[in-house]
Amino acid sequence: MSGSTSGTVIRAVPRDRAGWARADRVVCAALVALSRDPAPPDATAAAVRAWCRLSGVLRSAQARPAYEPGPCPDLCLVAVHPSDVEPLGRLAHELGRCMLPGTRADTAPALLRAADAAGVGPCELVVELARMHGLLDLDHGQEAELLYTLAGVRTAGTATLAAHDRIARRVAVMWSAGATDPGPVPADGLPGTGHGRHTGRR
């Protein structure tokens, strides 16, 4: 479901200013490191350009007041362009593939360097990128009409509390996906040690 003129889509993200600030720092630091890496993944340049456009929009959404007393107090609504979301998924896919057993780990050194620059483990970095992509790519179907109504893009629509609760639950599940340590990489996957959640600087 797209905006009327710009080709953007309205997406719902959790209202979690501190959590989003941390996620933004991780993604920004990793993308800067990848952009300077001697052997970056193919999707790096597109992902860097996309995040430059998305980051400010997402941070501004977190800073805006909640939609109280309306039906949407725990979600932030953002307008994003699908072409800015897709590169994040491609980058997460490229980095994630090098952690699978039996694959050529051409991008493994870049992943390790980017994760170190971001202060996280390589598994956590891949999960973070995939989580950002998933949230911004998540289409709520007919219930997305609620988002457009609340955002003022359309004046008609069914903005029911039940629809909001279903959207909020989906978003919460996606947002909490990175809260659990993804565990170690198989022995014949990414080389080196310490592939789980990073315990160092934040």
Side-chain angles (χ1 to χ4, degrees), residues 7 49 66 69 73 87 115 123 126 145 157 175 197:
R49 291 191 297 269
C123 282
V126 172
E145 189 68 35
W175 184 239
R197 184 167 289 277

mmCIF file of all heavy atoms in Angstrom, residues 7 49 66 69 73 87 115 123 126 145 157 175 197:
data_model
loop_
_atom_site.group_PDB
_atom_site.id
_atom_site.type_symbol
_atom_site.label_atom_id
_atom_site.label_comp_id
_atom_site.label_asym_id
_atom_site.label_seq_id
_atom_site.Cartn_x
_atom_site.Cartn_y
_atom_site.Cartn_z
ATOM 1 N N GLY A 7 5.206 7.430 -3.897
ATOM 2 C CA GLY A 7 5.650 6.054 -4.016
ATOM 3 C C GLY A 7 6.143 5.474 -2.706
ATOM 4 O O GLY A 7 6.652 4.351 -2.677
ATOM 5 N N ARG A 49 23.785 4.235 1.107
ATOM 6 C CA ARG A 49 22.949 5.328 0.593
ATOM 7 C C ARG A 49 21.539 5.243 1.169
ATOM 8 O O ARG A 49 20.934 6.262 1.553
ATOM 9 C CB ARG A 49 22.908 5.288 -0.935
ATOM 10 C CG ARG A 49 24.229 5.658 -1.608
ATOM 11 C CD ARG A 49 24.026 5.862 -3.099
ATOM 12 N NE ARG A 49 23.583 4.650 -3.775
ATOM 13 C CZ ARG A 49 24.404 3.750 -4.316
ATOM 14 N NH1 ARG A 49 25.710 3.933 -4.255
ATOM 15 N NH2 ARG A 49 23.913 2.685 -4.935
ATOM 16 N N ALA A 66 3.796 10.722 21.014
ATOM 17 C CA ALA A 66 2.971 9.547 20.715
ATOM 18 C C ALA A 66 1.601 9.984 20.201
ATOM 19 O O ALA A 66 1.209 11.140 20.347
ATOM 20 C CB ALA A 66 2.804 8.687 21.970
ATOM 21 N N PRO A 69 -4.493 10.850 22.452
ATOM 22 C CA PRO A 69 -5.135 9.668 23.045
ATOM 23 C C PRO A 69 -5.721 8.719 22.003
ATOM 24 O O PRO A 69 -6.666 7.997 22.277
ATOM 25 C CB PRO A 69 -6.247 10.298 23.883
ATOM 26 C CG PRO A 69 -6.647 11.487 23.052
ATOM 27 C CD PRO A 69 -5.377 12.010 22.403
ATOM 28 N N PRO A 73 -0.597 4.588 20.537
ATOM 29 C CA PRO A 73 0.399 5.220 21.396
ATOM 30 C C PRO A 73 1.755 4.539 21.416
ATOM 31 O O PRO A 73 2.749 5.146 21.808
ATOM 32 C CB PRO A 73 -0.256 5.153 22.777
ATOM 33 C CG PRO A 73 -1.105 3.923 22.708
ATOM 34 C CD PRO A 73 -1.621 3.881 21.301
ATOM 35 N N PRO A 87 17.918 -2.727 -0.151
ATOM 36 C CA PRO A 87 19.357 -2.960 0.006
ATOM 37 C C PRO A 87 19.752 -3.486 1.381
ATOM 38 O O PRO A 87 20.746 -4.214 1.500
ATOM 39 C CB PRO A 87 19.971 -1.576 -0.250
ATOM 40 C CG PRO A 87 18.965 -0.854 -1.075
ATOM 41 C CD PRO A 87 17.640 -1.341 -0.578
ATOM 42 N N ALA A 115 31.522 -5.854 12.376
ATOM 43 C CA ALA A 115 30.955 -6.175 13.679
ATOM 44 C C ALA A 115 31.813 -5.601 14.800
ATOM 45 O O ALA A 115 31.298 -5.051 15.784
ATOM 46 C CB ALA A 115 30.820 -7.690 13.832
ATOM 47 N N CYS A 123 27.166 -12.442 14.430
ATOM 48 C CA CYS A 123 25.774 -12.937 14.390
ATOM 49 C C CYS A 123 24.808 -11.810 14.716
ATOM 50 O O CYS A 123 23.780 -11.644 14.055
ATOM 51 C CB CYS A 123 25.593 -14.068 15.392
ATOM 52 S SG CYS A 123 26.242 -15.664 14.871
ATOM 53 N N VAL A 126 24.324 -9.337 11.787
ATOM 54 C CA VAL A 126 23.450 -9.870 10.732
ATOM 55 C C VAL A 126 21.985 -9.820 11.186
ATOM 56 O O VAL A 126 21.099 -9.418 10.425
ATOM 57 C CB VAL A 126 23.860 -11.304 10.358
ATOM 58 C CG1 VAL A 126 22.827 -11.922 9.408
ATOM 59 C CG2 VAL A 126 25.237 -11.313 9.704
ATOM 60 N N GLU A 145 -4.452 0.113 6.430
ATOM 61 C CA GLU A 145 -5.321 1.284 6.293
ATOM 62 C C GLU A 145 -5.329 2.086 7.586
ATOM 63 O O GLU A 145 -5.425 3.322 7.577
ATOM 64 C CB GLU A 145 -6.738 0.859 5.938
ATOM 65 C CG GLU A 145 -7.657 2.014 5.557
ATOM 66 C CD GLU A 145 -7.257 2.662 4.252
ATOM 67 O OE1 GLU A 145 -6.791 1.944 3.346
ATOM 68 O OE2 GLU A 145 -7.385 3.890 4.145
ATOM 69 N N GLY A 157 -11.219 5.204 6.588
ATOM 70 C CA GLY A 157 -10.591 3.934 6.935
ATOM 71 C C GLY A 157 -11.060 3.462 8.289
ATOM 72 O O GLY A 157 -11.629 4.205 9.079
ATOM 73 N N TRP A 175 10.549 -6.759 16.487
ATOM 74 C CA TRP A 175 11.523 -5.944 17.216
ATOM 75 C C TRP A 175 12.281 -6.766 18.253
ATOM 76 O O TRP A 175 13.463 -6.542 18.501
ATOM 77 C CB TRP A 175 10.816 -4.775 17.889
ATOM 78 C CG TRP A 175 11.696 -3.789 18.594
ATOM 79 C CD1 TRP A 175 11.654 -3.449 19.904
ATOM 80 C CD2 TRP A 175 12.731 -2.979 18.021
ATOM 81 N NE1 TRP A 175 12.598 -2.484 20.188
ATOM 82 C CE2 TRP A 175 13.270 -2.177 19.046
ATOM 83 C CE3 TRP A 175 13.247 -2.858 16.726
ATOM 84 C CZ2 TRP A 175 14.302 -1.263 18.841
ATOM 85 C CZ3 TRP A 175 14.282 -1.959 16.502
ATOM 86 C CH2 TRP A 175 14.798 -1.175 17.547
ATOM 87 N N ARG A 197 26.574 -13.289 20.655
ATOM 88 C CA ARG A 197 26.347 -11.903 21.036
ATOM 89 C C ARG A 197 27.620 -11.333 21.631
ATOM 90 O O ARG A 197 28.260 -11.917 22.493
ATOM 91 C CB ARG A 197 25.190 -11.824 22.035
ATOM 92 C CG ARG A 197 24.813 -10.430 22.409
ATOM 93 C CD ARG A 197 23.496 -10.428 23.136
ATOM 94 N NE ARG A 197 22.395 -10.743 22.238
ATOM 95 C CZ ARG A 197 21.819 -9.835 21.471
ATOM 96 N NH1 ARG A 197 22.200 -8.583 21.465
ATOM 97 N NH2 ARG A 197 20.809 -10.182 20.678
#
